[in-house]
């Protein structure tokens, strides 16, 4: 039984690798299997501007964020860093957070969730992405519920 399970697991891994899409970001384009998928402009080392191939304005603003949590310190994570990517959709005024990843993984997340359909931002799929991921990193951040009141009397 273990042998059958191992063979099945290996077969599934090979299948997943064979259908994986090759993403390459170069010259302000994210290409999937060599075909332009979207425009990608690096704004800074932690920020990028994303838009559809025919869009004239930014449709997604991606920010790589992090904080340290002493409760998460391990030998593999000595600083206790929590990292994520905030995706802001300015035309819809929606934000969601996904697990921190490379630019290529952000593109793969957009593909998996159908954010661009035939090069156009799909509003319904963006709303589904928002419902799916929400703001879980910011909401779970230690001391995220502290409110600072400034009284200028």
């Amino acid at each position: 039984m273990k042998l059958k399970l191992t063979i099945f697991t290996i077969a599934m891994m090979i299948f997943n690798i064979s259908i994986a899409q090759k993403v390459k970001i170069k010259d302000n384009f994210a290409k999937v299997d060599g075909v332009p998928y979207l425009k990608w402009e690096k704004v800074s080392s932690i920020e990028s501007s994303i838009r559809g191939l025919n869009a004239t304005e930014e449709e997604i603003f991606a920010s790589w964020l992090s904080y340290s949590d002493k409760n998460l310190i391990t030998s593999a994570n000595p600083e206790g860093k929590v990292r994520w990517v905030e995706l802001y959709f300015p035309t819809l005024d929606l934000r969601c957070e996904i697990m921190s990843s490379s630019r290529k993984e952000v593109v793969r997340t957009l593909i998996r969730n159908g954010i661009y359909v035939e090069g156009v931002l799909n509003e319904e799929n963006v709303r589904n992405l928002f419902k799916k991921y929400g703001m879980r990193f910011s909401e779970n951040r230690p001391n995220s519920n502290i409110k600072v009141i400034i009284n200028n009397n």
Side-chain angles (χ1 to χ4, degrees):
M1 183 65 182
K2 283 186 178 183
L3 180 61
K4 286 182 181 180
L5 185 58
T6 303
I7 292 171
F8 176 76
T9 303
I10 292 170
M12 290 305 295
M13 288 173 56
I14 292 169
F15 175 75
N16 285 336
I17 290 169
S18 68
I19 64 167
Q21 296 166 315
K22 185 176 180 182
V23 175
K24 187 172 186 177
I25 300 173
K26 187 176 179 183
D27 299 327
N28 288 345
F29 285 95
K31 294 181 178 181
V32 180
D33 296 331
V35 178
Y37 178 68
L38 52 79
K39 292 180 183 175
W40 186 291
E41 180 183 345
K42 186 175 178 181
V43 176
S44 71
S45 62
I46 61 167
E47 298 172 326
S48 291
S49 177
I50 304 166
R51 64 179 186 234
L53 294 173
N54 298 316
T56 57
E57 295 181 12
E58 175 180 77
E59 295 176 314
I60 305 171
F61 188 76
S63 300
W64 280 255
L65 305 168
S66 67
Y67 66 85
S68 295
D69 183 345
K70 64 181 180 180
N71 296 322
L72 298 177
I73 293 174
T74 64
S75 59
N77 187 5
E79 296 177 15
K81 285 282 189 183
V82 176
R83 295 178 173 93
W84 71 97
V85 180
E86 179 184 89
L87 301 176
Y88 174 57
F89 299 85
T91 58
L92 303 173
D93 196 29
L94 288 176
R95 294 176 192 274
C96 68
E97 297 171 339
I98 61 174
M99 184 86 85
S100 179
S101 54
S102 67
R103 297 180 307 157
K104 291 179 182 182
E105 281 302 315
V106 170
V107 173
R108 287 186 185 103
T109 298
L110 298 177
I111 293 168
R112 272 193 312 274
N113 290 281
I115 300 305
Y116 284 96
V117 177
E118 297 180 10
V120 177
L121 187 72
N122 184 294
E123 185 175 330
E124 182 180 346
N125 291 347
V126 170
R127 293 189 188 286
N128 289 337
L129 182 79
F130 172 77
K131 290 176 191 172
K132 182 177 179 180
Y133 291 103
M135 299 294 287
R136 60 188 175 181
F137 295 97
S138 295
E139 290 170 355
N140 292 325
R141 185 176 185 163
N143 301 321
S144 66
N145 59 355
I146 293 177
K147 295 181 181 173
V148 176
I149 299 171
I150 300 173
N151 191 352
N152 290 331
N153 288 344

